[in-house]
Amino acid sequence: MGRFLHTFSAPHVQAVGSSTGAAQYVEQIKRAASTAVGAAVKGLRAVRVGYGTGKCDVNVNRDVLTADGWWLGTGEAGPSDKSGGVTRFDDLDGNPIAVLMNYSVQSSVMMESVMANGDLPVTADLAGAAVQHIEKQYDAAVGFFLVGSCGDQSPAFRSKRYTIDKGKDWPQVDAQEAGWLLLAVQGERLGTEVVRVSETIKATSGGARSPLRLVTDSVTVNTMTPGHPTRPTTTYDFTPNGTADVPIWVLRVGDGVFVGVAPELSTDTALSIKKHSPFPHTAVLSMIEGGSKNMAEARSYARITYEAMDSSYAQGSAETVAAKIGDMLDALRG
């Protein structure tokens, strides 16, 4: 079974009500997570770790200019990080036991797509399809998807999507059942690249001399009330009305480091963190500990994008968080 962090093509458990079906769904997730953690603890063993980086074009910037302002679509000209970080853990005999991928995309190929019979699919989506491909290549290894800077990114091809016509109107279309092929092909493509990179990795770092350290901290940022946008606009009030602490998790494993925050970061923020990181391998993770919606960068506020309007964080928050992460990475490396 594929292991992944977050899918947009399933109920969001933090938003479920008190209905019997929703409660059962949450309980199943809790039981599965508890079982997985218990099995992991029982199966602890010595490992070696190695890192690599690939490139895969299955994501795209989702900000597009319409006649009514910036909205969701296929923004080919916008920034998009096509790199994919791969971490491989081997046992002491050199056999892979886990392959982790860090890629900047939402798992939302089938999000809100309605089947011909009126059903909404529940699926692990792009992350699950990619991990499934990886685990078929490594029978004894676990695959895991670590969500990267997904705030302004979506799969290159989605089943239900906005299209922009010559008048810059923004109608929505749905491929319905045909969307499953879009999901399979993109998941296979991403999984294939991860396996290719994994096969080039020499897992040599490990043992008692290999640094393993978790550091946590937080930084205070300004907040605002999210607008829950349903359409583009050219005017919006981004006035801050409070403050909040943003927790930050940094895990060092040998020569690599995993940086995680709850908000969905945008591409420019993650690229800045990677650029200034003193570590040769830096994975930037969004939606840690349940997620807390978007944390847009300055350009999004200037354009009044979906990410900026949907955020509970005021302008400048992303830059403040990136600077704090930089300080933490410098201290950890030293």
Side-chain angles (χ1 to χ4, degrees):
M1 177 180 293
R3 284 80 174 174
F4 58 94
L5 285 179
H6 200 80
T7 170
F8 285 76
S9 300
H12 287 200
V13 295
Q14 72 268 27
V16 298
S18 57
S19 66
T20 302
Q24 290 177 342
Y25 177 71
V26 172
E27 285 303 314
Q28 287 180 336
I29 293 175
K30 290 166 64 177
R31 285 196 298 270
S34 178
T35 299
V37 171
V41 171
K42 289 181 180 179
L44 284 175
R45 48 183 156 163
V47 299
R48 294 189 175 95
V49 61
Y51 298 92
T53 303
K55 185 176 182 179
C56 189
D57 193 2
V58 297
N59 62 352
V60 69
N61 192 285
R62 64 177 185 167
D63 295 331
V64 295
L65 183 60
T66 74
D68 302 308
W70 287 87
W71 194 235
L72 303 172
T74 305
E76 300 282 5
S80 187
D81 185 3
K82 308 297 183 183
S83 67
V86 180
T87 306
R88 178 170 143 174
F89 292 94
D90 289 359
D91 62 23
L92 298 185
D93 293 324
N95 302 307
I97 62 174
V99 178
L100 283 60
M101 74 177 92
N102 174 222
Y103 190 71
S104 299
V105 70
Q106 294 181 347
S107 286
S108 58
V109 176
M110 299 301 293
M111 178 181 174
E112 297 179 349
S113 182
V114 182
M115 302 298 97
N117 64 0
D119 287 345
L120 283 168
V122 175
T123 170
D125 210 274
L126 181 59
V131 167
Q132 185 178 52
H133 179 84
I134 294 167
E135 293 187 342
K136 285 181 179 179
Q137 304 298 309
Y138 298 106
D139 293 336
V142 172
F144 209 98
F145 185 90
L146 303 172
V147 184
S149 51
C150 62
D152 59 352
Q153 303 293 302
S154 71
F157 300 97
R158 287 185 55 186
S159 183
K160 189 173 184 180
R161 67 245 179 238
Y162 290 97
T163 62
I164 311 301
D165 60 26
K166 65 180 182 180
K168 291 190 177 181
D169 288 327
W170 39 283
Q172 200 169 26
V173 295
D174 192 345
Q176 298 184 303
E177 276 77 5
W180 292 111
L181 180 58
L182 300 176
L183 172 56
V185 171
Q186 292 178 101
E188 179 184 275
R189 186 172 177 179
L190 180 55
T192 298
E193 175 63 0
V194 172
V195 171
R196 183 195 70 78
V197 174
S198 174
E199 286 299 288
T200 69
I201 293 174
K202 303 298 182 183
T204 56
S205 177
R209 290 177 296 177
S210 180
L212 177 62
R213 186 182 177 193
L214 174 64
V215 177
T216 60
D217 206 336
S218 65
V219 62
T220 302
V221 300
N222 291 325
T223 59
M224 62 184 188
T225 303
H228 307 296
T230 58
R231 59 176 293 116
T233 182
T234 56
T235 59
Y236 193 83
D237 183 6
F238 289 118
T239 304
N241 55 16
T243 61
D245 291 333
V246 178
I248 300 170
W249 294 265
V250 179
L251 174 64
R252 179 179 182 179
V253 184
D255 291 329
V257 65
F258 300 86
V259 178
V261 294
E264 297 174 41
L265 300 177
S266 295
T267 299
D268 285 351
T269 304
L271 288 177
S272 176
I273 293 170
K274 291 181 181 181
K275 179 180 178 181
H276 295 99
S277 173
F279 290 87
H281 306 283
T282 302
V284 179
L285 317 180
S286 291
M287 293 187 284
I288 299 294
E289 290 290 311
S292 60
K293 302 295 267 183
N294 293 290
M295 180 176 278
E297 81 300 323
R299 179 174 51 242
S300 284
Y301 287 93
R303 291 178 170 179
I304 313 181
T305 65
Y306 175 92
E307 297 86 53
M309 291 187 287
D310 189 51
S311 179
S312 61
Y313 301 102
Q315 183 171 351
S317 297
E319 291 76 11
T320 298
V321 167
K324 178 64 175 181
I325 290 172
D327 291 341
M328 292 173 66
L329 291 178
D330 288 340
L332 188 60
R333 187 64 174 178

